[in-house]
Amino acid sequence: HRELARVGVTLKLLHGEYLDACRVEGSPAMGYDRFCKSYQQHVLVAGAASRVGHKAGQTVEVDWSGKTMQLTDPATGQQTRVFVFVGCLPFSRFAFVEPTLDMKQDTWLRAHVAMFDWFGGSVPRVVPDNLKTGVIKHPAEGEVVLNDAYRELAAHYSAAVLPGRVKKPKDKASVENTVGNIATWVIASLRDTQFGTLPELRAAVYQRVAAYNAEPFQKRQGSRQGVFEAEEKPLLRPLPATPFEISRWVYRRRVQKNGHVVWERNFYSVPYPHIGRGVDLRVTDTTLEVFAGDQRLTSHVLAPIGVVNEYRTHDGDLPDGPRYRQWDAARVREWAARIGVNTTTVVNRIFESVPVEEQGLDAALAVLRLTRRYSAARVEAAAGIALTSRVRSPRYAHLRPILETRQDDPDSRDAWSTPARTAEPAGYVRGADYYAGGTR
C-alpha cells in the first residue's frame, strides 16, 4: 500500500518484483489475478477507451510526462528536478524517452532530434500538445500558428506539425497511454537508484525503454520492438544527410546608430540602411543571422561564450567613405605632422619616454586633442615654448597652461617676461621696505 503511493508504481510492477523475490527465496508465488484480488479494495476500475486504427510510419505523438525524476549530488545530497520527454509511434507503440533538465524551446527541439535518431527515420506527421515551445496559437477556427524554430525542425525532417485540439487528449491517445506506462517502466523502476549526472541517468533510461519496447503485448502476439522492426521501420523516411541545427528567434531588436545590433552584450553589424529599424535574429550554437521579414540581411560567427563588448563588423555593412582606424603610434605621428614640427617633436619625445609605444598613446593624443579647443597654429607655438623649457618630454600638463595664459601670443609673452610697474599712490609704503625700516 505504501509503494502504490509512489510515482508510477502499479500492481503490475509490484507483482513482477514480488515474483523476482519469490524466485530468489525459492518459495511459491501467487499469480497476477490472485495478487490483484488480494488488493481489490484499493483498485479503481477505469472505463475502456475506443480503439483507433493507425497507419504504419505516418505519425509520431510527443508530449512531456507529468511525472518527473531527479538527480542527486553525491557530495551535498542536493536534488535536481529532471523532466521526461516521451515520443510514441501509434502503429507499433514503439516508444522513446529523453530525460532533460528543463522544458525550454532548445531542449524541446533537441529531444525531437534525439527521438528521430532513436527511430532511425522520420514520419510525415508530428502530433504535439499545444505547449508554447511548439505552438503559438491554435484557434478553434483558422490556421494554427507554429513557433518558427519548431516549424524549421519539421521542415528539415520533411514533416508537418499537426497539434491535437485544445483539451482533447484523445487526439494523441497513444502517447498519453505511453506516458503512463513509462511512469511505471522507467520512473518507478528506477525510483531507488540515485544518479549524479544526466548522461548516467540517460543511459539507464534508454536501457529501461529498450526493455519496455521488447516486452510482449498482453492481448496480441509480438512486442513493440518486433512490430516496429518488421512493419514500421521500413516505411520511415530516411534521415537528412545533415543534422538539424538548433536555433532560436529573437524578434524586434533595434539597430543602433553605430550600425550594430546587440546580442548577449556583443555587437554585430547590420547594413547601414537599416539603422534605427527593428530586425529579427536567428541564433544557433555557432552563428547569428539578421532578418528583416523573410529577407536575410547578414550573418556573423557567434562570439565565444564569456566574451562581452566585442564588435563583429562586415565592411559591406558600413557606408561608403573613410573607415574607422585603430589608434597606433604611426597614426598619432601622422596627425602631429599635420600640425607642425614642434608638435611632432613633443609627440616623439612622449613615445621615447615610455618602454612600450602603446603606453604613450593616451598622453600623445591628449596633446593633439588640444586642437579641438585651440587652433593648430597656437598648439604648435605652445609646443615650441614647452620645448625651450627644462622639461625633457613636455606633455598636456605643460602645454595647456601656456595656451590658457596666451603665452604663445608674442605680445602676451613680453608682458609675462617683463611685467609693467605701475605708480603707487601717495603715501604708499611697500611691505618689504617697511619691515626693513627703509623709506622711499
Side-chain angles (χ1 to χ4, degrees):
H1 179 73
R2 288 193 300 268
E3 289 298 310
L4 281 175
R6 302 178 67 175
V7 174
V9 178
T10 63
L11 285 175
K12 181 69 175 178
L13 174 67
L14 295 176
H15 180 254
E17 295 176 347
Y18 159 74
L19 292 178
D20 294 338
C22 290
R23 292 191 189 98
V24 173
E25 298 174 356
S27 59
M30 69 179 72
Y32 180 63
D33 291 342
R34 184 178 176 186
F35 188 86
C36 294
K37 290 178 181 178
S38 301
Y39 199 72
Q40 61 184 353
Q41 65 271 25
H42 299 286
V43 175
L44 178 63
V45 179
S50 61
R51 299 184 62 183
V52 180
H54 296 281
K55 294 183 178 180
Q58 292 296 308
T59 305
V60 60
E61 299 176 3
V62 294
D63 199 2
W64 289 106
S65 169
K67 311 301 182 181
T68 60
M69 306 178 73
Q70 63 275 333
L71 297 176
T72 304
D73 191 321
T76 63
Q78 182 179 0
Q79 291 187 341
T80 302
R81 192 178 185 184
V82 177
F83 302 91
V84 180
F85 171 89
V86 181
C88 175
L89 296 170
F91 177 79
S92 62
R93 300 298 179 94
F94 189 73
F96 168 77
V97 179
E98 179 75 7
T100 65
L101 295 179
D102 56 59
M103 301 172 68
K104 297 180 181 179
Q105 177 178 297
D106 288 3
T107 305
W108 171 255
L109 299 178
R110 294 181 195 279
H112 279 71
V113 174
M115 177 185 68
F116 287 124
D117 288 341
W118 175 271
F119 293 156
S122 64
V123 294
R125 300 181 180 183
V126 181
V127 182
D129 206 344
N130 288 276
L131 68 173
K132 292 299 182 182
T133 53
V135 181
I136 297 177
K137 183 169 61 175
H138 190 169
E141 296 182 359
E143 188 176 355
V144 176
V145 180
L146 299 177
N147 181 284
D148 286 340
Y150 197 31
R151 185 178 63 251
E152 286 183 1
L153 179 139
H156 184 80
Y157 288 100
S158 301
V161 178
L162 304 174
R165 294 171 295 175
V166 178
K167 296 182 180 180
K168 299 292 184 180
K170 288 188 177 181
D171 287 355
K172 49 184 183 61
S174 297
V175 73
E176 295 287 350
N177 180 66
T178 301
V179 166
N181 293 337
I182 291 302
T184 300
W185 276 85
V186 177
I187 300 177
S189 63
L190 299 176
R191 67 189 185 279
D192 293 326
T193 307
Q194 290 189 356
F195 300 94
T197 63
L198 187 62
E200 182 184 1
L201 174 60
R202 182 182 292 112
V205 168
Y206 283 0
Q207 185 178 5
R208 292 301 305 158
V209 174
Y212 169 74
N213 288 328
E215 177 72 7
F217 289 118
Q218 291 186 355
K219 298 182 180 179
R220 60 171 174 162
Q221 296 294 324
S223 64
R224 297 170 181 84
Q225 180 75 37
V227 175
F228 171 75
E229 295 287 348
E231 302 181 40
E232 191 157 24
K233 188 174 182 178
L235 300 178
L236 296 181
R237 294 179 175 180
L239 295 175
T242 58
F244 178 73
E245 190 173 23
I246 304 300
S247 65
R248 48 180 166 170
W249 285 84
V250 182
Y251 300 99
R252 305 301 299 172
R253 282 294 178 95
R254 183 172 294 276
V255 181
Q256 297 183 347
K257 292 182 178 180
N258 61 4
H260 290 72
V261 65
V262 181
W263 172 251
E264 291 187 346
R265 301 174 63 185
N266 291 300
F267 302 84
Y268 301 88
S269 66
V270 179
Y272 70 93
H274 297 274
I275 291 177
R277 300 179 182 176
V279 295
D280 302 330
L281 307 181
R282 180 178 180 266
V283 185
T284 68
D285 293 337
T286 57
T287 61
L288 179 143
E289 297 175 295
V290 182
F291 286 81
D294 58 355
Q295 177 187 5
R296 192 179 77 160
L297 304 178
T298 186
S299 63
H300 297 270
V301 176
L302 204 62
I305 298 176
V307 174
V308 297
N309 296 326
E310 180 173 328
Y311 281 80
R312 296 291 177 96
T313 307
H314 295 321
D315 289 341
D317 295 337
L318 301 178
D320 295 333
R323 298 287 189 257
Y324 172 78
R325 291 174 55 193
Q326 186 71 28
W327 282 108
D328 54 16
R331 186 180 178 189
V332 171
R333 288 190 174 98
E334 182 182 329
W335 185 3
R338 293 197 299 268
I339 299 175
V341 176
N342 294 330
T343 306
T344 302
T345 304
V346 170
V347 168
N348 287 334
R349 289 188 179 182
I350 290 176
F351 285 127
E352 292 170 0
S353 66
V354 294
V356 181
E357 285 189 338
E358 282 73 9
Q359 296 178 356
L361 287 176
D362 187 62
L365 286 172
V367 171
L368 299 178
R369 286 169 182 155
L370 285 170
T371 57
R372 296 176 177 176
R373 178 177 297 186
Y374 308 100
S375 67
R378 290 193 61 189
V379 172
E380 172 68 9
I385 295 173
L387 288 172
T388 61
S389 65
R390 296 181 180 180
V391 180
R392 173 70 182 82
S393 177
R395 302 200 177 204
Y396 171 86
H398 304 95
L399 270 67
R400 181 171 179 177
I402 296 174
L403 294 167
E404 288 180 343
T405 58
R406 302 187 64 83
Q407 297 180 46
D408 57 297
D409 186 350
D411 297 335
S412 299
R413 193 183 313 161
D414 294 340
W416 275 82
S417 60
T418 56
R421 298 186 65 177
T422 58
E424 293 87 355
Y428 178 82
V429 179
R430 288 182 177 276
D433 296 335
Y434 175 81
Y435 284 110
T439 58
R440 297 284 306 254

